[in-house]
Amino acid sequence: MPASRPARPALYLPTDAEMLAARKDLESPLTFEEHLTVGATGLGPWAGSDVLDAVTRVRGELGNPHISYLPELADRGYLATLLARSIAALEGLSADGTAAGWRLTGGYAAEGEAARSLLESDINILADVVGKESGAAPGTIKLRLLGPLSLAASTYLTSGERVLSDHGARRDVAEAQRVGFHGVVKLLRQAVPGAQVLVQVEEPLLVEAAAGQLPTSSGYRTLQAVPRHELVSLLGALHEELEGLSAQVVTRTDYVRLHPEVRQALAIPLLSMAGQPTSAWEALAPRLEAERGLYLEVVDPLVRVTAGNLARGLWRTWSDLGLGKKLLNQLVLTETGSLAATDPQRATTVLGHLTETARALSEIAQDA
């Protein structure tokens, strides 16, 4: 493990022991009604460079009803990053890696093709792992990709400026992404037959793009804000494309800071509510009551809080908002931060802790 990574917190049990305890817990009969089931998943990043080991660990900890995913192992190099994987999923556009970043091109790009090959190889490894599973329900398989705004903000034109700076260019990127979804969803369905496909759309720069706060490549000024109607149109078209493929969409962004019109364009948000006032939680209540779903970051990989304490805190907030326990099945728990900053053993433990927390919350609701 690289020396720069933090040591495992003392409150974490030895990984092997905790993995065994988690599996024993998962094999025990349900102690709550099925409609109270709370889900769990991971964000996507993973430590190390062994894809087979990573996929096996994720599949082992996140069986149905939880949400398994194709992990990202950026330790393998720049072709394995979230940005490279997102470029690999484009259809009709590619990009070359340069000293200044990824530069989009409409023709052949060696680095872009290498990133595409790596993504396809990762999906093939997923298929191999799934093929060795016996009798498991297919459940859901999740893939994380950058959304159209953050992808345009993270790539560059031949002029050296961000793609986001050009209306036509960002439209082309969004269209190439929507067309590319067809191939990616098909590959995932082939890898995990019968599974529901879920795309986790990452939009870390959405708020800045909407506010005109992103610097130009020179750094001396900022890009113009992307008009709100265009944000809504691009995000809406993404959802429409994926829903047309019978795939689900969850969007991770700074949801609380978005304009209400932009929030409405997001089917299901993934967010952290740590430190947020009650008013921010209240804004989520109508979404839950409409059964639109919510993914919540709750488990810190570096700070161990018992599953019971986490679950009791969540249930207090849920009750204070006046949300009935019948809505708990709209909730999916995930970690905060990045598991890539840990190690494979601790990352596995964190996934197990997420499923334990989800189960504890369901049991508390059952007894309420």
Side-chain angles (χ1 to χ4, degrees), residues 55 78-79 95 112 131 153 165 169 195 200 222 224-226 231 233 241 247 254 259 262 264 269 294 325 358 366:
V55 171
Y78 74 102
L79 294 176
S165 66
Q200 178 182 317
T222 56
Q224 288 186 341
V226 178
L231 297 177
S233 175
E241 194 75 39
D254 196 345
H259 189 278
V262 181
Q264 282 298 113
L294 174 66
K325 60 184 180 181
Q366 176 69 43

Side-chain angles (χ1 to χ4, degrees), residues 145-149 151 173-175 177-179 181 199-203 231-245 247-251 265-267:
L145 297 170
L146 285 173
L149 280 307
L151 181 55
V173 166
E175 183 176 350
Q177 183 177 60
R178 293 195 299 271
V179 175
F181 284 147
V199 177
Q200 178 182 317
V201 175
E202 292 279 323
E203 281 287 8
L231 297 177
V232 172
S233 175
L234 289 174
L235 293 169
L238 177 148
H239 280 72
E240 184 178 347
E241 194 75 39
L242 284 168
E243 288 165 3
L245 295 171
Q248 296 177 334
V249 192
V250 58
T251 305
L266 307 180

Side-chain angles (χ1 to χ4, degrees), residues 22-328:
R23 290 196 178 104
K24 182 179 179 181
D25 183 56
L26 287 172
E27 291 167 0
S28 61
L30 291 180
T31 54
F32 52 86
E33 296 176 43
E34 191 172 355
H35 70 275
L36 299 177
T37 300
V38 177
T41 191
L43 292 176
W46 197 266
S49 57
D50 189 335
V51 182
L52 176 60
D53 179 72
V55 171
T56 301
R57 288 174 179 273
V58 170
R59 297 286 299 175
E61 295 298 332
L62 296 175
N64 200 43
H66 305 299
I67 298 172
S68 180
Y69 59 95
L70 184 65
E72 302 154 19
L73 285 76
D75 282 356
R76 294 177 293 169
Y78 74 102
L79 294 176
T81 62
L82 172 62
L83 177 55
R85 184 173 275 187
S86 302
I87 290 169
L90 298 175
E91 183 63 42
L93 285 178
S94 190
D96 278 314
T98 70
W102 286 91
R103 187 165 295 178
L104 287 186
T105 174
Y108 174 82
E111 289 89 350
E113 288 304 309
R116 186 189 300 269
S117 295
L118 189 59
L119 173 58
E120 292 176 353
S121 173
D122 289 351
I123 295 176
N124 287 337
I125 290 172
L126 169 65
D128 291 341
V129 173
V130 171
K132 295 177 182 178
E133 296 173 353
S134 58
T140 299
I141 183 65
K142 177 168 69 70
L143 176 69
R144 189 173 82 131
L145 297 170
L146 285 173
L149 280 307
S150 294
L151 181 55
S154 304
T155 51
Y156 296 86
L157 302 166
T158 54
S159 65
E161 193 49 84
R162 294 178 193 261
V163 171
L164 191 72
S165 66
D166 185 280
H167 170 76
R170 60 182 182 250
R171 179 195 59 205
D172 291 345
V173 166
E175 183 176 350
Q177 183 177 60
R178 293 195 299 271
V179 175
F181 284 147
H182 291 249
V184 172
V185 169
K186 181 179 179 180
L187 287 175
L188 289 171
R189 288 201 170 116
Q190 290 172 343
V192 193
Q196 170 67 58
V197 173
L198 170 62
V199 177
Q200 178 182 317
V201 175
E202 292 279 323
E203 281 287 8
L205 301 177
L206 179 56
V207 171
E208 289 80 0
Q213 296 174 344
L214 288 170
T216 59
S217 56
S218 68
Y220 292 115
R221 58 187 181 87
T222 56
L223 299 177
Q224 288 186 341
V226 178
R228 189 184 308 147
H229 68 84
E230 185 179 345
L231 297 177
V232 172
S233 175
L234 289 174
L235 293 169
L238 177 148
H239 280 72
E240 184 178 347
E241 194 75 39
L242 284 168
E243 288 165 3
L245 295 171
S246 298
Q248 296 177 334
V249 192
V250 58
T251 305
R252 185 177 180 228
T253 188
D254 196 345
Y255 182 83
V256 174
R257 293 174 59 197
L258 292 176
H259 189 278
E261 286 183 32
V262 181
R263 290 183 196 171
Q264 282 298 113
L266 307 180
I268 303 174
L270 190 165
L271 69 162
S272 170
M273 294 299 289
Q276 293 291 344
T278 304
S279 58
W281 279 97
E282 290 172 347
L284 295 171
R287 172 178 292 275
L288 290 163
E289 290 167 348
E291 299 187 355
R292 296 186 67 184
L294 174 66
Y295 284 54
L296 202 58
E297 299 177 25
V298 296
V299 171
D300 188 335
L302 302 180
V303 181
R304 180 63 187 266
V305 180
T306 67
N309 285 342
L310 281 171
R312 280 187 286 272
L314 287 168
W315 179 247
R316 279 195 298 271
T317 301
W318 199 266
S319 300
D320 290 346
L321 291 172
L323 295 170
K325 60 184 180 181
K326 68 179 181 179
L327 296 176
L328 270 179

